[in-house]
């Protein structure tokens, strides 16, 4: 077994490179998702180590010192961080010339040969699901015999091996919480709408929806929802509860946990017996009767991708959602006491000045507990990327999707709507949603009821206004 280091490299200050289905970028307030995509193969490789540099605030020098004793380094990369990660790989090779270096992630899954051509220190990239791919390499397999990789042979020629079959029995995957316990400090991970400290993990991969912008289903996870059994999931939560008694909330980071409603209810009932509080990603179409079962068994919050308040834009991005259904679902959640963190995207195909105003009105009308407003990001490998290139909506200068500080830019523009108008609309959205008397009263009431929440909201407020100042510099 090769001594293996799994690495989320140092990057922009506060950069969330481990983000799941949505965007790798700095957030409005300090936010870090658990590096589950790296922790999963790390759990398969005996004696491995996972370093998640950004939340641990680790620079490169201490990592280079450790790397000298490893045979293999697996780096998670993304489109925004790729140039930085290539430089990290170069420095690792300088420190340890005999080390094999592989890249994983959606970026290299869809651009394997281009990625290897740009990164001379990279020995291989893993395409699609890479858990057992990395396990085989760590076991010392000849790269020529490993499915699912593109690699550089001793002559420097790039070789593309056959695809790896998708994993069907998801219960074959070991628990990531073992790696979290061994290598991470869970208090380093913050998400603004989740209770702190939290732990997130996946109970399945893939998403039935066909949203044109969403990264992981189109590049790695696929559009079939392949799931772990309810017993397997609950066994891991019980273990995590013992390992991390300080955790206040568990989050299921599946693209859409509610894609399989009977399974979601079965897991919920088992979680209810454990007495844990949990949250998950959901589509805005969950029936009220299911919502009630989930709530009665510990569900606190749903993360819901509304994306837009304009029906035509939802059709354009193949969201498969009707506005009136989303309204009814949201009202059900309000009445049942389930909190919602709503996510919205500005700059999608069909966006106009009026549709932006329409989406802001929709958000304030349905009034989720909190919101996140992102800019449409055409990642390579997505339908949106191909559409943007074909129609001339994406300039090469904006293809990295973030600025020099890791903050999202507005990469798309249209004949009737400029980069600047789309970029500026994010701040307008936040101000009109949060700077309303009822919303301010709700936040203040929350702070008064909880000293811990008061401390947290004040910190987040400072971070949010700092973020807005940085956006003004980038504009």
């Amino acid at each position: 077994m090769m001594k293996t280091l799994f690495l989320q490299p140092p990057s922009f200050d506060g950069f969330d490179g481990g983000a799941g289905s949505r965007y790798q970028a700095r957030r409005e307030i300090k936010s870090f998702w658990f590096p589950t995509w790296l922790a999963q193969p790390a759990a398969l490789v005996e004696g491995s180590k996972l370093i998640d540099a950004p939340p641990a605030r680790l620079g490169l020098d201490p990592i280079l010192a450790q790397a000298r004793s490893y045979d293999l380094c697996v780096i998670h990369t993304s489109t925004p961080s790729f140039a930085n990660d290539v430089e990290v790989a170069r420095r690792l090779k300088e420190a340890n010339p005999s080390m094999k270096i592989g890249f994983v992630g959606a970026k290299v899954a869809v651009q394997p040969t281009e990625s290897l051509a740009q990164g001379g220190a990279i020995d291989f990239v893993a395409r699609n699901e890479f858990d057992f791919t990395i396990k085989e390499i760590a076991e010392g397999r000849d790269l020529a015999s490993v499915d699912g990789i593109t690699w550089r042979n001793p002559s420097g020629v790039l070789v593309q091996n056959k695809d790896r079959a998708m994993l069907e029995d998801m219960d074959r995957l070991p628990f990531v919480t073992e790696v979290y316990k061994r290598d991470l400090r869970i208090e380093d991970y913050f998400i603004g709408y989740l209770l702190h400290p939290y732990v997130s993990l996946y109970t399945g991969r893939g998403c039935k929806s066909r949203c044109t912008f969403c990264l992981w289903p189109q590049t790695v996870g696929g559009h079939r929802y392949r799931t772990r059994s309810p017993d397997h999931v609950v066994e891991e939560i019980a273990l995590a509860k013992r390992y991390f008694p300080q955790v206040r909330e568990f989050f299921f980071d599946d693209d859409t946990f509610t894609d399989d409603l009977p399974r979601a209810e079965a897991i919920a009932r088992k979680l209810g017996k454990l007495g844990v509080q949990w949250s998950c990603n959901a589509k805005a179409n969950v029936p009220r009767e299911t919502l009630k079962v989930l709530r009665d068994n510990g569900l606190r919050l749903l993360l819901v991708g509304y994306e837009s308040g304009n029906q035509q834009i939802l059709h354009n991005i193949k969201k498969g959602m009707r506005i009136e259904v989303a309204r009814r679902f949201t009202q059900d959640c309000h009445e049942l006491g389930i909190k919602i963190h709503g996510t919205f995207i500005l700059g999608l195909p069909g966006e106009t000045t009026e549709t932006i105003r329409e989406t802001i009105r929709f958000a304030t009308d349905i009034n989720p507990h909190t919101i996140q407003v992102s800019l449409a990001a055409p990642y390579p490998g997505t339908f949106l990327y191909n559409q943007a290139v074909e129609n001339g909506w994406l300039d090469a200068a904006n293809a990295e999707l973030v600025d020099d500080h890791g903050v999202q830019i507005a990469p798309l523009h249209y004949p009737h709507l400029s980069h600047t108008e789309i970029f500026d609309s994010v701040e307008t959205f936040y101000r009109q949603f949060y700077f309303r008397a009822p919303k301010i009263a709700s936040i203040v009431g929350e702070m008064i009821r909880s000293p811990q929440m008061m401390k947290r909201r004040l910190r987040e407020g400072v971070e949010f206004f700092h973020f807005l100042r940085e956006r003004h510099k980038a504009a």
Side-chain angles (χ1 to χ4, degrees), residues 327-464:
R327 284 184 182 277
R328 185 170 63 249
F329 157 86
T330 308
Q331 185 61 37
D332 286 340
C333 287
H334 287 325
E335 292 173 1
L336 291 168
I338 298 170
K339 285 186 164 42
I340 294 177
H341 176 71
T343 63
F344 297 87
I345 303 174
L346 298 179
L348 292 164
E351 194 80 275
T352 65
T353 301
E354 178 50 41
T355 62
I356 290 172
R357 286 197 288 260
E358 187 178 358
T359 296
I360 296 173
R361 287 195 299 269
F362 172 70
T364 55
D365 187 23
I366 64 170
N367 196 31
H369 184 60
T370 52
I371 63 168
Q372 176 181 315
V373 185
S374 300
L375 294 158
Y379 279 86
T382 63
F383 183 94
L384 179 59
Y385 177 84
N386 295 333
Q387 192 180 26
V389 170
E390 289 169 9
N391 288 280
W393 301 335
L394 177 65
D395 300 330
N398 296 316
E400 290 187 353
L401 311 178
V402 299
D403 66 14
D404 292 340
H405 303 284
V407 175
Q408 261 202 319
I409 61 171
L412 299 181
H413 65 97
Y414 305 98
H416 56 278
L417 197 63
S418 69
H419 297 287
T420 302
E421 289 174 277
I422 297 170
F423 184 85
D424 290 346
S425 65
V426 170
E427 182 173 343
T428 301
F429 198 145
Y430 276 125
R431 289 185 182 279
Q432 291 190 19
F433 182 83
Y434 280 114
F435 294 177
R436 297 174 290 143
K439 182 56 73 175
I440 292 171
S442 172
I443 294 170
V444 170
E446 188 179 47
M447 293 166 65
I448 290 172
R449 289 190 299 271
S450 168
Q452 183 186 41
M453 187 58 72
M454 177 175 289
K455 181 179 178 182
R456 178 175 177 175
R457 292 300 184 219
L458 289 173
R459 173 182 60 78
E460 290 172 348
V462 171
E463 290 175 358
F464 179 70

Side-chain angles (χ1 to χ4, degrees), residues 165-181:
M166 296 287 275
L167 181 63
E168 298 298 335
D169 181 4
M170 298 299 288
D171 285 3
R172 289 179 60 200
L173 294 171
F175 297 159
V176 294
T177 46
E178 299 281 4
V179 177
Y180 294 174
K181 173 71 171 173

Side-chain angles (χ1 to χ4, degrees), residues 109-129:
V110 299
Q111 295 181 323
T113 54
E114 300 94 323
S115 299
L116 281 166
Q118 293 172 53
I122 308 171
D123 296 295
F124 69 89
V125 301
R127 309 188 307 271
N128 306 104
E129 279 185 314

Side-chain angles (χ1 to χ4, degrees), residues 19-134:
S21 62
R22 196 64 53 92
Y23 306 126
Q24 291 82 31
R26 287 183 60 191
R27 299 296 195 269
E28 298 84 344
I29 59 175
K30 183 168 66 173
S31 300
F32 288 112
W33 286 104
F34 280 79
T36 317
W37 282 102
L38 274 182
Q40 196 68 80
L44 284 165
V45 177
E46 186 179 344
S48 66
K49 182 177 179 60
L50 169 59
I51 295 178
D52 190 8
R57 296 187 174 276
L58 275 178
L60 189 54
D61 287 342
I63 295 170
L64 292 175
Q66 292 189 62
R68 292 185 177 93
S69 64
Y70 284 87
D71 309 309
L72 171 65
C73 181
V74 178
I75 293 177
H76 184 271
T77 192
S78 65
T79 296
S81 67
F82 183 71
N84 171 81
D85 300 338
V86 167
E87 175 61 16
V88 169
R90 186 189 69 79
R91 295 283 304 278
L92 287 167
K93 278 282 194 192
E94 280 184 353
N96 184 354
S98 64
M99 173 189 275
K100 269 194 169 55
I101 297 179
F103 274 33
V104 298
K107 157 74 176 177
V108 296
V110 299
Q111 295 181 323
T113 54
E114 300 94 323
S115 299
L116 281 166
Q118 293 172 53
I122 308 171
D123 296 295
F124 69 89
V125 301
R127 309 188 307 271
N128 306 104
E129 279 185 314
F130 47 80
D131 313 275
F132 287 92
T133 300
I134 299 302

